[in-house]
Amino acid sequence: MTFLPKSIYDRLLANGRRQDPVRGTEDEIDFHPVVKLFTPDAGCTWLLTEIDPDEPDIAFGLCDLGLGFPELGYVSLAELAGVRGRLGLPVEVDRHFKATKPISRYAADAATAGHIAA
């Protein structure tokens, strides 16, 4: 993915490899987000924690399409690379984002607020 730096992609993939053996169990890892993606002209935000090692185009995280209903789920990186906002601007990496809590806390806060605040 040209919009996702290799160092971030590699961290997401490493998290996916750690999560894979415990996915769906009580030992599932509640990672801090690795990256915040956003559309500068459309109000969409994604906080991603991991990439599926068996499907390296699929990432997991908190997704907010700006409709008031952010949710945890999976997203295609190839599809994100093609997303454009109202002014035609592509998805960007927030290079200043520093996660301060695990994804479950971001999700709970976003459910209350109706949007991701990060």
Side-chain angles (χ1 to χ4, degrees):
M1 302 307 111
T2 57
F3 74 97
L4 202 57
K6 183 175 177 357
S7 62
I8 290 173
Y9 183 88
D10 289 347
R11 285 179 53 206
L12 290 166
L13 189 56
N15 281 355
R17 288 183 177 131
R18 286 183 56 210
Q19 188 76 277
D20 204 37
V22 297
R23 189 177 322 282
T25 73
E26 62 185 36
D27 296 325
E28 232 179 87
I29 304 164
D30 191 11
F31 289 113
H32 281 56
V34 171
V35 64
K36 175 184 175 185
L37 304 174
F38 68 99
T39 52
D41 59 345
C44 301
T45 306
W46 298 266
L47 298 180
L48 303 180
T49 60
E50 62 210 72
I51 288 176
D52 183 337
D54 295 325
E55 296 285 338
D57 176 55
I58 303 299
F60 177 80
L62 182 59
C63 306
D64 181 357
L65 300 180
L67 303 174
F69 303 100
E71 62 184 15
L72 290 169
Y74 294 89
V75 63
S76 163
L77 296 174
E79 286 182 17
L80 285 181
V83 168
R84 297 292 181 269
R86 291 180 289 263
L87 301 176
L89 298 175
V91 171
E92 292 185 21
V93 172
D94 182 343
R95 299 193 186 277
H96 302 286
F97 173 72
K98 301 284 186 221
T100 59
K101 52 194 168 190
I103 195 69
S104 64
R105 292 265 316 278
Y106 281 104
D109 293 347
T112 300
H115 63 89
I116 295 174

